[in-house]
Amino acid sequence: MKDVYLLAYPAGHSISPTMHNAAFQHLGLPFHYQALEVGPEDLSIAMDKLREPQVAGSNVTVPHKQAVMAYMDSLSDVAKQIGAVNTIINNDGLLHGHNTDASGYLRSLQDINFSPEGKSVVMIGAGGAARAVLYALLEAKATEVFIYNRTSEKATALADDFSALGKVSAATTDNLKETIQNCQLLVNTTSVGMVKEGKDPDVSPIPDDYLPKEGLVSDIIYKPRQPRLLANAHQAGLATQHGLGMLVYQGAYSFKEWTGVDAPTDIMFKSIEVLV
Ligand code: ATR
């Protein structure tokens, strides 16, 4: 039996174990996935554990995605550019750090037949999740990406950081409404609108009437399935997408890294749909 872990803090609420164990069982693979609560002070011990022979690797989530990078023996180019690791592969005691968030997001867009190529995009947020989504959008040849963030300096810094990969700039509050109206993809990468303590906060990261004239409004939030931003977009007749697809597909790409086998994504969707 091979072990796969999720390094998180706290770890209690994660639905990844359900998703991965359903997939392992479905294919009859001798793997088991388990969430490990690892405080920042215990990261080094957790890294030693990942090097043990019965461990195939791990996922990494908040707050460790950046911190684990220092412990890796090698890093994929994607992980380097995004500046975060969400997947670790144990290669005979050597740890390889990778990131499947960007490819997972792109795959979720493919599922609904939306290609970012040639599109003007407004991305809300400039945190860790934003870095992965921005990487995905530029790799998929979006024409231009405008980043809007509550703290505008962070949007500018993120745009600078990715300027070699494509046309990226910070959107200001003054031109935000018009910029959004003229884009074909609006994506929220912040946690604004997400269920907290069991309650749907019914808030949006932008004013309700800031919407594209055409195209897709995408949110990486999956609980609720229709946060306020998506409800507004739906009402305006726009296509919408919540974050469940990104969650499943980032997991599916990690699964492939540990097992060498394509993940049964339909089984993964089914296993967690009832939980969120
Ligand atoms: P993650 O790794 O999940 O992306 P993060 O790195 O802490 O988390 O980034 C959170 C993002 O959500 C940031 O863009 C943050 O904006 P600031 O840079 O201004 O902090 C944004 N965010 C979080 N709470 C917010 C709120 N209440 N209103 C607007 N933006 C918010």
Side-chain angles (χ1 to χ4, degrees):
M1 182 68 88
K2 284 271 189 184
D3 292 317
V4 179
Y5 294 105
L6 167 68
L7 310 183
Y9 188 73
H13 63 278
S14 174
I15 57 178
S16 288
T18 303
M19 176 168 91
H20 284 289
N21 286 324
F24 292 145
Q25 266 169 29
H26 179 76
L27 296 179
L29 293 173
F31 283 72
H32 183 255
Y33 189 108
Q34 189 188 331
L36 269 192
E37 185 150 300
V38 179
E41 68 286 355
D42 294 329
L43 205 51
S44 163
I45 297 169
M47 292 296 121
D48 289 341
K49 192 179 175 79
L50 293 190
R51 294 176 196 274
E52 290 175 8
Q54 79 283 5
V55 180
S58 80
N59 273 141
V60 184
T61 189
V62 180
H64 302 308
K65 282 187 178 187
Q66 282 91 36
V68 296
M69 293 180 84
Y71 295 91
M72 296 298 106
D73 298 296
S74 60
L75 285 167
S76 67
D77 289 345
V78 186
K80 277 186 210 161
Q81 176 62 41
I82 294 175
V85 161
N86 82 327
T87 306
I88 298 175
I89 301 115
N90 177 20
N91 291 323
D92 298 324
L94 294 178
L95 300 182
H96 180 66
H98 184 40
N99 194 306
T100 63
D101 286 331
S103 51
Y105 181 63
L106 278 187
R107 181 69 182 76
S108 76
L109 290 178
Q110 250 177 40
D111 243 15
I112 55 165
N113 288 318
F114 184 91
S115 167
E117 185 168 358
K119 305 286 195 317
S120 174
V121 184
V122 175
M123 182 178 81
I124 309 164
R131 294 184 69 90
V133 169
L134 181 56
Y135 182 92
L137 294 169
L138 294 175
E139 192 188 60
K141 301 194 174 67
T143 311
E144 50 186 353
V145 182
F146 299 94
I147 307 168
Y148 174 70
N149 194 48
R150 173 178 61 180
T151 313
S152 64
E153 298 79 28
K154 280 201 218 164
T156 310
L158 180 57
D160 283 351
D161 220 14
F162 278 72
S163 59
L165 299 191
K167 198 173 166 202
V168 200
S169 56
T172 66
T173 313
D174 295 344
N175 63 18
L176 183 63
K177 186 174 187 182
E178 205 189 338
T179 310
I180 289 177
Q181 278 172 344
N182 293 324
C183 78
Q184 295 88 43
L185 170 62
L186 172 64
V187 51
N188 173 43
T189 69
T190 76
S191 55
V192 182
M194 189 165 80
V195 166
K196 281 206 183 91
E197 285 140 19
K199 288 201 191 107
D200 176 354
D202 197 23
V203 289
S204 172
I206 50 170
D208 288 337
D209 60 339
Y210 285 25
L211 289 169
K213 288 190 196 125
E214 52 165 354
L216 175 70
V217 180
S218 168
D219 202 318
I220 67 163
I221 291 171
Y222 52 85
K223 197 171 180 176
R225 301 277 178 91
Q226 197 179 62
R228 188 176 178 119
L229 174 68
L230 295 193
N232 291 335
H234 181 70
Q235 215 165 27
L238 294 161
T240 62
Q241 181 201 42
H242 56 64
L244 211 54
M246 179 177 178
L247 176 74
V248 168
Y249 289 120
Q250 62 76 31
Y253 286 125
S254 302
F255 183 102
K256 175 94 193 230
E257 295 289 337
W258 304 315
T259 64
V261 174
D262 283 334
T265 50
D266 49 342
I267 299 291
M268 293 166 92
F269 268 111
K270 275 201 199 110
S271 71
I272 58 170
E273 255 163 10
V274 289
L275 302 177
V276 294

